[in-house]
Amino acid sequence: MTLFAFALLFAATVAAYMLNRAAAASLARRGERLHSLATFHGGFAALVVLLPVFLVILLWLLFQGPVISALVMGGLPEGVLDGLGKGEVSLIAAEIQSIAAGQVFGTPEPWKLEAAERLVRLRATSGTLLVVTVAALSVVLLFLARRTVAPEFRARHGVERMVLGILVFCSTVAIFTTVGIVLSLIYESWQFFRLVPITEFLFGTNWEPQIPIRADQIAGAGAFGWLPVILGTVVITVIALAVSVPIGLFSAIYLNEFASRRMRAVVKPVLEILAGVPTVVYGFFAVLTVAPALRAAGAEFGIPISPNTALAAGSVMAIMLIPFISSFTDDALAAVPRALRDGSLALGATRGETMLKVLFPAAIPGIVGGILLAVSRAIGETMIVVMAAGLIATMTINPLDSVTTVTVQIVTLLIGDTSFDNPKTLAAFALGMMLFIVTLGINILALRIVRKYRELYD
Amino acid sequence: MADIDIAAGGWTSEASRENVRRRRRGELWLKAAGLVAITIAFAMLLTLLASLVITGFRAFTQTHVTLQVTLPPGDETPSFRAATRGAIEALFEGADEAQKREASRILSSGAQYIIESHVAANPDLIGQTFSIRVPVSDPYDQLAKGLIDRETPEALRRVSDAGIAAFDRLSEAGLISRPFNTALFVNADSRFPELAGLKGAIIGSFYALLTCFLISFPIGIGAAIYLEEFARKNRLSDFIEININNLAAVPSVVFGLLALAVFLNWFGLPRGAPFVGGLTLALMTLPTIIIATRAALKAVPPSIREAALGVGASKQQVVFHHVLPLAMPGILTGTIIGLAQALGETAPLLLIGMNAFITAAPSTPFDSATALPTQIFIWADSPERGFVSRTSAAILVLLGFLVLMNALAIYLRNRFERRW
């Protein structure tokens, strides 16, 4: 039915375009001087039909699901939902949905079957109603648009106003996305902080979120202090930076000052490949190769290394960050004015001395900005740590131990059973909000540093 | 540069020479450090690729055994289970009991279904004896590929001595072959490594990328045109720009949280559907496309705009008739690179449930499905040994797609992009 509605809309739009263009063209043939070209008259009609009807269809599709399920749940016989929690009610709703889709498990109660039938009926009615609405609205708009065709009608201005409106809407999608992220994180976190006090979350040193979702599950008692989790994130980030910053800096210095043009042309793209490899691949690499190698090396020296050692996740994350740091450093070094370099060389400094004592200090703000962006990446990186780091949150800074991170906890809490009235699910959103705040803060700081430094030489 | 008392001996004095040598050494050290750093980065890339290829290439072949299957005549619904068992037992006439017992374990548990669908496609085979090649089960596949050491004690091996003897008997009879593993591409997921394939994941990824493209491409271009060509410099346009730059740096898992809370929980869209995945990826790809489009629009010289305005075009006509077509190659290049990033994105897809175990390929974008990166994640988590090489193989397939997309982007840039 939805497809049919879209097809109807498409047909109406094309019809509006053809009708009005033909009408305008015939006016022109009769010797009238039109303000706008005939195609603009056509385009005007097409947009007048397309935009409102498209909006109606979208809104319809968005609200059809929630409205219908509210109707179905509201129409259940008296008393069957008495004394049930929010989660159980949503389970019943899901069961009715799956019965309606034809997947019946066991023998459900007759009122459930009845509700499922009602659901199917309501959906069919809604589909028919949508098509009828689309058809009626299209015809009305087509008629209204057709009446606008006149020599003095400024169709081009109308079209351009509507196109500009579309363009403005497109550019506000970014705002809507940010608002959506912020609102959903705040809303779900607020739900979480009603169940778990915010002080416990911020200052607690114990993280054991595996509490039961259903009554028959065996699980821990639950503790939601995020300090060990953020500590793990810090440990892995520090390892990743300790490995990637020197490698990135030195390779950028070499490429910028010593490498031949041909070497640059080969090395830079190869380093970029490292940035293009999906992180799930790095995660598998960490599990398959790096962690066993580290363990074997540790066994050689008699040091016990955990299979989920932070060292493995951190060092593999470093590989991902190398191209990031090296390209930022390279840009920052290249942005230092030539006069500084030439002046230093003219005074008799070697190239190495010029680099270390003149160019590098001048480029430091840009490099620091780049490293900060790398930090924010490392904190937000998910797949490498989900696959290679641990699940148990422990207060430790030993890189050989297994640690967990904020992103690991978000993913493990949300894979599998999720129900939005359970602190286990909501905890993921609270962690997500902290992650968002931290990375946003670091990004803003980094951009500010970079911008300030640019002003120095421009 | 240390203080040099030139009067005490000048540039030729030993102190001065020593000073120059020291400075040259410093220079060499810096160079060496740079070279070492680049070498380490290269070595890491090589290790990564080598370990994937070494473990992955084996999954591109699969050990098969050729069976002579006999179906009794007249039976329209024969028991394929019995027929399969009969076919393998027929090969072990005269063998000892232990070998016979092991023999049926050599076959993949999917063998009877493969025979069944083969017969369904050729109904005239009923009542005949025909030969068919079916995959062997994972432990014997590993044995054939030399991944199981025959020297290890039997208790520590995944195949018994009798099983090895049975397998060697088949091998000597010339019934074992190792053709290209087509199952990897034509099957969907399975619990059994020898039957598992990427079809569902590839189609799921395709639907997700298609949705992502259909949404992010027009919206991204629209946003970029507005910001670059029409927007006045005011609070609103500044605010939009800040938002776009921030979105580009938001961790991907946060987009997953957004999708879970808004798309799944509020709007009630289906869980694990490639359409929802594509919607999420579109939001993540948008900043990339907007930034690339703006750069491409900026690169079109003002003389083009002025010429078009000069002959009486309206501002929008200038943009849509002249600037946009000239900027298209740059926009397409940026879009393809953005889509390549989206193809490798995993975390948000995990949160919206595209990591379920699904044995059928999706037929619409609204069916539950996996995507290539989430399939890699699932297989990497599977305990069966055979999934290790299949995970590497899946990664090689994913990297293959990424190389193709990037090559296309580079080709477009070199072929069509103009320098003014």
Side-chain angles (χ1 to χ4, degrees):
Chain A
M1 273 312 194
T2 315
L3 220 59
F4 188 61
F6 276 113
L8 211 60
L9 169 60
F10 179 72
T13 308
V14 172
Y17 178 81
M18 303 301 263
L19 268 178
N20 272 30
R21 199 186 61 173
S26 80
L27 275 184
R29 266 198 306 280
R30 267 185 272 143
E32 300 265 14
R33 282 177 55 85
L34 296 182
H35 169 270
S36 302
L37 294 172
T39 49
F40 279 111
H41 283 277
F44 179 79
L47 285 175
V48 161
V49 174
L50 180 71
L51 295 181
V53 180
F54 188 69
L55 201 64
V56 165
I57 297 182
L58 275 193
L59 289 178
W60 194 292
L61 292 179
L62 274 184
F63 290 106
Q64 154 180 304
V67 168
I68 290 182
S69 58
L71 281 177
V72 168
M73 295 311 278
L76 290 180
E78 294 286 317
V80 291
L81 294 182
D82 284 355
L84 293 184
K86 207 170 131 197
E88 285 150 319
V89 172
S90 72
L91 266 184
I92 290 177
E95 194 183 344
I96 293 174
Q97 298 258 354
S98 72
I99 295 173
Q103 297 156 332
V104 186
F105 301 103
T107 44
E109 293 90 329
W111 55 267
K112 279 184 186 164
L113 288 176
E114 214 168 279
E117 256 169 48
R118 234 168 93 79
L119 182 65
V120 173
R121 264 203 316 279
L122 279 172
R123 275 193 190 149
T125 319
S126 165
T128 323
L129 218 57
L130 173 63
V131 169
V132 171
T133 315
V134 166
L137 198 59
S138 302
V139 168
V140 170
L141 290 170
L142 212 103
F143 179 70
L144 287 179
R146 175 65 188 79
R147 287 181 40 169
T148 60
V149 181
E152 69 277 12
F153 180 62
R154 300 176 167 224
R156 181 170 65 78
H157 292 220
V159 169
E160 294 193 344
R161 258 201 311 279
M162 282 188 275
V163 169
L164 193 63
I166 297 173
L167 294 182
V168 172
F169 169 77
C170 287
S171 58
T172 52
V173 168
I175 298 181
F176 287 134
T177 311
T178 314
V179 170
I181 289 176
V182 171
L183 282 187
S184 58
L185 288 180
I186 288 180
Y187 177 75
E188 306 293 355
S189 307
W190 183 64
Q191 302 282 330
F192 174 70
F193 291 132
R194 287 203 310 189
L195 298 168
V196 176
I198 188 165
T199 46
E200 187 197 322
F201 177 72
L202 285 180
F203 305 113
T205 56
N206 201 3
W207 178 264
E208 279 169 21
Q210 296 303 335
I211 58 173
I213 278 189
R214 297 188 309 272
D216 54 341
Q217 278 178 330
I218 297 169
F224 292 95
W226 84 312
L227 286 180
V229 181
I230 187 72
L231 188 66
T233 305
V234 170
V235 168
I236 287 187
T237 305
V238 167
I239 294 170
L241 288 173
V243 177
S244 62
V245 167
I247 296 179
L249 283 187
F250 279 118
S251 55
I253 286 175
Y254 187 84
L255 286 178
N256 197 274
E257 193 59 44
F258 302 112
S260 66
R261 196 177 280 267
R262 269 178 59 194
M263 182 168 177
R264 239 178 107 83
V266 175
V267 173
K268 275 206 91 159
V270 173
L271 285 184
E272 294 299 320
I273 291 178
L274 286 175
V277 173
T279 53
V280 66
V281 177
Y282 282 123
F284 185 62
F285 177 61
V287 179
L288 179 77
T289 312
V290 178
L294 284 175
R295 256 170 88 74
E300 198 82 358
F301 296 107
I303 308 166
I305 294 184
S306 149
N308 294 328
T309 164
L311 213 51
S315 56
V316 170
M317 198 184 281
I319 308 180
M320 182 193 85
L321 295 178
I322 288 171
F324 204 69
I325 291 175
S326 96
S327 75
F328 247 92
T329 308
D330 201 21
D331 289 351
L333 288 173
V336 177
R338 238 202 123 69
L340 285 180
R341 180 193 305 252
D342 292 347
S344 166
L345 290 173
L347 283 175
T350 64
R351 294 180 127 198
E353 285 160 352
T354 305
M355 172 55 70
L356 288 183
K357 296 189 172 147
V358 178
L359 298 182
F360 193 73
I364 271 194
I367 295 172
V368 169
I371 292 178
L372 279 180
L373 287 180
V375 170
S376 123
R377 279 228 164 164
I379 294 175
E381 169 46 43
T382 311
M383 289 322 293
I384 296 176
V385 281
V386 165
M387 294 170 87
L391 293 177
I392 312 292
T394 40
M395 286 292 261
T396 175
I397 53 166
N398 179 1
L400 303 179
D401 271 351
S402 154
V403 298
T404 190
T405 74
V406 175
T407 49
V408 172
Q409 290 304 319
I410 293 176
V411 170
T412 42
L413 289 175
L414 291 179
I415 282 186
D417 275 348
T418 53
S419 91
F420 276 86
D421 60 345
N422 186 296
K424 183 184 149 189
T425 304
L426 295 173
F429 283 89
L431 285 179
M433 190 168 80
M434 300 311 283
L435 182 67
F436 183 72
I437 292 172
V438 170
T439 52
L440 189 70
I442 293 176
N443 287 335
I444 290 176
L445 185 67
L447 288 178
R448 189 156 290 179
I449 290 176
V450 171
R451 195 172 301 158
K452 206 165 186 184
Y453 142 80
R454 254 190 220 138
E455 285 164 6
L456 223 60
Y457 295 119
D458 276 354
Chain B
M1 281 149 271
D3 301 322
I4 303 162
D5 192 354
I6 294 177
W11 298 109
T12 53
S13 71
E14 191 47 40
S16 168
R17 278 168 203 270
E18 176 54 33
N19 186 40
V20 169
R21 272 199 293 277
R22 194 179 47 75
R23 288 172 59 195
R24 293 229 169 101
R25 269 203 304 279
E27 175 108 352
L28 274 180
W29 274 113
L30 189 64
K31 262 187 172 175
L35 275 178
V36 167
I38 292 176
T39 315
I40 293 177
F42 269 59
M44 283 170 164
L45 180 63
L46 273 182
T47 322
L48 172 71
L49 290 180
S51 69
L52 290 176
V53 170
I54 288 171
T55 50
F57 83 97
R58 289 197 185 90
F60 286 104
T61 57
Q62 162 70 37
T63 315
H64 280 65
V65 54
T66 310
L67 295 180
Q68 297 292 326
V69 182
T70 308
L71 291 176
D75 190 353
E76 284 302 312
T77 53
S79 162
F80 290 98
R81 194 184 152 79
T84 313
R85 218 186 154 76
I88 188 81
E89 275 173 2
L91 295 172
F92 285 90
E93 266 171 45
D96 62 58
E97 279 306 309
Q99 273 191 35
K100 274 192 185 168
R101 257 201 319 276
E102 283 299 323
S104 60
R105 291 194 197 156
I106 293 180
L107 290 186
S108 159
S109 54
Q112 61 183 30
Y113 304 109
I114 292 171
I115 296 173
E116 185 171 348
S117 55
H118 181 68
V119 172
N122 310 288
D124 50 322
L125 287 177
I126 292 177
Q128 293 182 19
T129 299
F130 57 94
S131 91
I132 185 170
R133 218 159 51 173
V134 296
V136 304
S137 65
D138 182 46
Y140 290 93
D141 185 43
Q142 309 269 334
L143 180 72
K145 287 172 179 169
L147 293 173
I148 291 180
D149 188 0
R150 289 163 187 249
E151 304 299 318
T152 43
E154 188 177 8
L156 301 175
R157 243 189 280 128
R158 292 173 63 233
V159 288
S160 62
D161 285 338
I164 291 183
F167 187 78
D168 287 343
R169 194 180 153 114
L170 292 178
S171 206
E172 276 156 28
L175 296 172
I176 300 292
S177 55
R178 227 163 83 194
F180 181 72
N181 185 6
T182 47
L184 191 62
F185 297 96
V186 302
N187 284 7
D189 200 7
S190 166
R191 287 270 180 249
F192 303 102
E194 69 273 12
L195 300 174
L198 292 170
K199 186 183 170 198
I202 290 174
I203 294 179
S205 266
F206 172 76
Y207 280 141
L209 276 195
L210 186 71
T211 313
C212 171
F213 173 76
L214 289 180
I215 292 170
S216 62
F217 186 65
I219 293 185
I221 290 182
I225 288 177
Y226 176 72
L227 291 174
E228 197 60 40
E229 304 282 340
F230 295 108
R232 284 191 205 92
K233 190 106 185 85
N234 58 19
R235 284 250 181 87
L236 178 72
S237 60
D238 275 353
F239 186 58
I240 293 173
E241 281 197 36
I242 292 171
N243 268 300
I244 290 170
N245 288 333
N246 277 335
L247 277 186
V250 168
S252 61
V253 69
V254 172
F255 282 96
L257 289 174
L258 167 77
L260 182 62
V262 176
F263 297 153
L264 296 191
N265 196 31
W266 289 1
F267 293 155
L269 290 173
R271 203 177 153 76
F275 174 76
V276 183
L279 222 54
T280 317
L281 294 177
L283 297 181
M284 302 179 59
T285 315
L286 210 51
T288 314
I289 294 183
I290 293 177
I291 291 165
T293 306
R294 291 188 67 172
L297 291 173
K298 221 177 262 173
V300 177
S303 56
I304 303 273
R305 294 185 181 81
E306 284 151 14
L309 285 171
V311 296
S314 76
K315 237 189 138 192
Q316 288 198 5
Q317 284 172 323
V318 172
V319 171
F320 288 105
H321 294 180
H322 302 282
V323 179
L324 193 58
L326 288 172
M328 221 22 147
I331 297 175
L332 284 177
T333 308
T335 306
I336 294 171
I337 289 172
L339 287 179
Q341 280 170 8
L343 178 61
E345 210 46 78
T346 322
L349 302 186
L350 288 184
L351 293 197
I352 59 160
M354 287 188 76
N355 60 333
F357 172 69
I358 295 156
T359 53
S363 47
T364 71
F366 299 94
D367 297 341
S368 282
T370 58
L372 267 175
T374 51
Q375 190 69 60
I376 290 169
F377 176 70
I378 300 169
W379 283 0
D381 257 8
S382 301
E384 287 88 355
R385 291 274 314 157
F387 276 123
V388 175
S389 64
R390 272 169 177 77
T391 311
S392 295
I395 286 176
L396 292 177
V397 171
L398 174 64
L399 292 181
F401 278 117
L402 289 180
V403 168
L404 269 183
M405 290 172 81
N406 282 299
L408 182 65
I410 291 170
Y411 172 78
L412 274 177
R413 179 158 58 200
N414 293 344
R415 176 78 180 72
F416 293 108
E417 199 158 81
R418 269 205 246 174
R419 298 242 163 255
W420 302 90

